């Protein structure tokens, strides 16, 4: 299914809980803050419906913190057993990874993104509000050992907080075979109260760093099916993917988002344009009814920038 800007939906980003152990300074709550969660059965059913209607084969689970959802292994197993998704991933703060990575992998999880804004315990604590860097590093080791691949580190760069750590984190990634996702801080949607002051104080335009990466890279790839993200391969084999909000970025967006309460929406900044599918799921509607809801959401998608 394509939207009015000729963008086909290729990925689902599914928040399964709004619960989280962290209080990240920058958190966008994935565009949504409601806590009324879909049940495991509803999540599985919705994943099946979306794969059938949209012909998507990629899904990423998020939150809140997805590993805070007690039934996370069951959810991954159920979705894997649908045999409809070729790529099942999740994004996590990593705190519970050492405990859960093996079970998750066995249940059918292919790969993960882990938020890692600093390798310095004090800075880590400042950004995330918790003193858990060591557990996260252990979790990364475990994830590697059990075979989750690739492992990507989400590094949101913030002026005055962690902007001096880029090269250290890059070397850490190269040494461990992790892919670095260098993310420009974005504003939090007004629907969620915004993050105006924080953004103004800590936002850093990534263009100069990207220019530098361009000059150092042995190869540059544009991920046309993923928001036109640029990926740089550096001489030491480090791989850096850059995520910077822009019109080009929005025009390459092929994601449909699902909030943990069943709200379907097409843009992180416009969860207010969403349509909730929970009632339809509970009333066991026909595929055409679900299709009608999904089509309304897809039609509401427009580039934010
Ligand atoms: N708790 C999980 C985690 O820490 O990855 C999943 C949810 S978190 C909202 C998912 C990702 O959103 C984080 O890794 C971070 O990169 C990104 N994110 C959240 N707020 C952001 C912001 N204001 N600017 C840029 N990226 C943001």
């Amino acid at each position: 299914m394509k939207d009015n800007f000729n963008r086909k939906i290729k990925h689902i980003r599914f928040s399964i809980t709004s619960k989280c152990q962290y209080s990240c300074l920058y958190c966008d709550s994935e565009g949504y803050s409601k806590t009324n969660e879909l049940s495991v059965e509803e999540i599985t059913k919705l994943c099946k419906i979306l794969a059938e209607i949209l012909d998507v084969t990629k899904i990423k689970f998020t939150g809140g913190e997805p590993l805070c959802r007690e039934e996370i292994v069951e959810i991954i197993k159920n979705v894997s057993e649908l045999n409809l998704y070729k790529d099942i991933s999740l994004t996590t703060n990593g705190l519970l990874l050492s405990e859960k990575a093996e079970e998750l992998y066995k249940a059918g999880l292919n790969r993960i993104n882990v938020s890692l804004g600093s390798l310095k315990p004090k800075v880590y604590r400042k950004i995330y509000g918790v003193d858990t860097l060591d557990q996260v590093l252990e979790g990364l080791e475990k994830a590697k050992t059990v075979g989750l691949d690739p492992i990507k580190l989400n590094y949101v760069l913030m002026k005055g907080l962690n902007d001096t750590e880029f090269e250290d984190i890059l070397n850490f990634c190269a040494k461990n075979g992790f892919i670095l996702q260098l993310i420009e801080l974005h504003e939090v949607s007004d629907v969620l109260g915004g993050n105006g002051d924080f953004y103004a104080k800590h936002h850093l335009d990534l263009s100069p760093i990207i220019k530098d990466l361009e000059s150092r890279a042995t190869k540059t790839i544009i991920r046309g099916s993923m928001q036109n993200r640029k990926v740089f391969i550096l001489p030491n084999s480090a791989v850096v993917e850059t995520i910077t909000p822009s019109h080009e970025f929005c025009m390459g967006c092929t994601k449909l988002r699902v909030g943990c309460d069943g709200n379907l929406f097409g843009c992180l900044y416009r969860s207010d344009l969403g349509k909730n599918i929970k009632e339809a799921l509970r009333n066991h509607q026909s595929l055409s009814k679900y299709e009608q809801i999904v089509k309304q959401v897809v039609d509401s998608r427009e580039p934010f920038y």
Side-chain angles (χ1 to χ4, degrees):
M1 197 182 284
K2 283 186 176 172
D3 66 16
N4 295 324
F5 297 82
N6 205 29
R7 298 174 301 177
K8 188 181 175 336
I9 303 296
K10 295 182 183 167
H11 314 250
I12 306 295
R13 189 167 176 109
F14 203 134
S15 170
I16 52 171
T17 182
S18 55
K19 293 188 194 98
C20 187
Q21 325 90 325
Y22 280 31
S23 44
C24 309
L25 288 174
Y26 54 78
C27 185
D28 60 19
S29 308
E30 298 281 341
Y32 218 62
S33 63
K34 294 273 160 35
T35 53
N36 191 4
E37 293 169 356
L38 296 178
S39 67
V40 173
E41 292 69 30
E42 287 162 345
I43 291 171
T44 312
K45 184 172 167 187
L46 184 49
C47 289
K48 181 169 188 290
I49 290 167
L50 291 174
E52 284 170 357
I53 293 177
L54 295 166
D55 195 26
V56 287
T57 56
K58 292 181 166 199
I59 189 160
K60 172 161 273 153
F61 292 102
T62 181
E65 169 50 42
L67 301 193
C68 277
R69 181 87 194 231
E70 267 180 40
E71 312 99 326
I72 180 66
V73 176
E74 191 184 345
I75 291 171
I76 298 291
K77 188 164 185 287
N78 288 356
V79 173
S80 172
E81 284 176 354
L82 292 173
N83 283 323
L84 294 169
Y85 290 95
K86 288 190 197 133
D87 178 10
I88 304 177
S89 63
L90 62 76
T91 174
T92 170
N93 57 35
L95 180 58
L96 297 176
L97 256 187
S98 50
E99 189 186 309
K100 299 202 174 182
E102 188 157 12
E103 278 183 290
L104 286 166
Y105 181 71
K106 284 185 180 155
L109 185 70
N110 302 115
R111 60 189 184 90
I112 50 166
N113 289 55
V114 178
S115 292
L116 191 75
S118 178
L119 288 167
K120 297 179 182 165
K122 270 192 188 156
V123 180
Y124 188 93
R125 189 197 173 93
K126 194 165 182 184
I127 297 174
Y128 298 111
V130 282
D131 220 347
T132 52
L133 178 60
D134 284 349
Q135 287 99 307
V136 173
L137 296 178
E138 259 172 53
L140 280 167
E141 268 307 311
K142 181 76 182 184
K144 200 160 68 162
T145 314
V146 303
L148 289 164
D149 183 38
I151 296 173
K152 298 188 180 184
L153 296 196
N154 286 8
Y155 169 54
V156 180
L157 194 109
M158 291 167 282
K159 185 165 67 186
L161 282 171
N162 62 353
D163 51 331
T164 56
E165 278 191 70
F166 175 60
E167 292 296 331
D168 290 345
I169 294 190
L170 188 58
N171 289 335
F172 174 75
C173 286
K175 198 172 115 206
N176 286 286
F178 302 145
I179 295 174
L180 179 60
Q181 297 224 117
L182 173 64
I183 304 175
E184 185 164 323
L185 180 70
H186 57 238
E187 286 189 82
V188 170
S189 158
D190 288 341
V191 183
L192 295 170
N195 65 350
D197 284 354
F198 183 81
Y199 178 81
K201 201 166 160 204
H202 297 290
H203 172 254
L204 199 67
D205 176 2
L206 295 189
S207 312
I209 300 180
I210 291 176
K211 247 196 180 141
D212 177 55
L213 287 170
E214 257 156 9
S215 69
R216 289 161 64 187
T218 51
K219 193 172 170 194
T220 302
I221 301 161
I222 308 283
R223 286 186 73 193
S225 66
M226 196 59 181
Q227 295 154 326
N228 294 318
R229 296 177 183 183
K230 282 186 181 165
V231 183
F232 302 102
I233 321 286
L234 301 183
N236 65 352
S237 308
V239 182
V240 189
E241 184 166 330
T242 54
I243 299 166
T244 54
S246 65
H247 181 66
E248 205 186 16
F249 178 82
C250 286
M251 284 313 291
C253 177
T254 52
K255 271 185 208 164
L256 185 83
R257 292 176 173 265
V258 186
C260 58
D261 65 346
N263 189 49
L264 306 187
F265 55 112
C267 174
L268 180 59
Y269 300 102
R270 297 307 310 267
S271 53
D272 57 313
L273 293 180
K275 294 270 172 243
N276 203 295
I277 201 163
K278 186 163 62 191
E279 274 315 300
L281 287 173
R282 291 195 173 161
N283 294 327
H284 304 287
Q285 298 279 3
S286 63
L287 199 61
S288 64
K289 175 68 188 167
Y290 300 129
E291 202 160 0
Q292 194 188 325
I293 297 172
V294 172
K295 174 104 180 63
Q296 280 177 333
V297 176
V298 171
D299 284 346
S300 77
R301 275 167 47 88
E302 52 182 39
F304 186 78
Y305 287 100

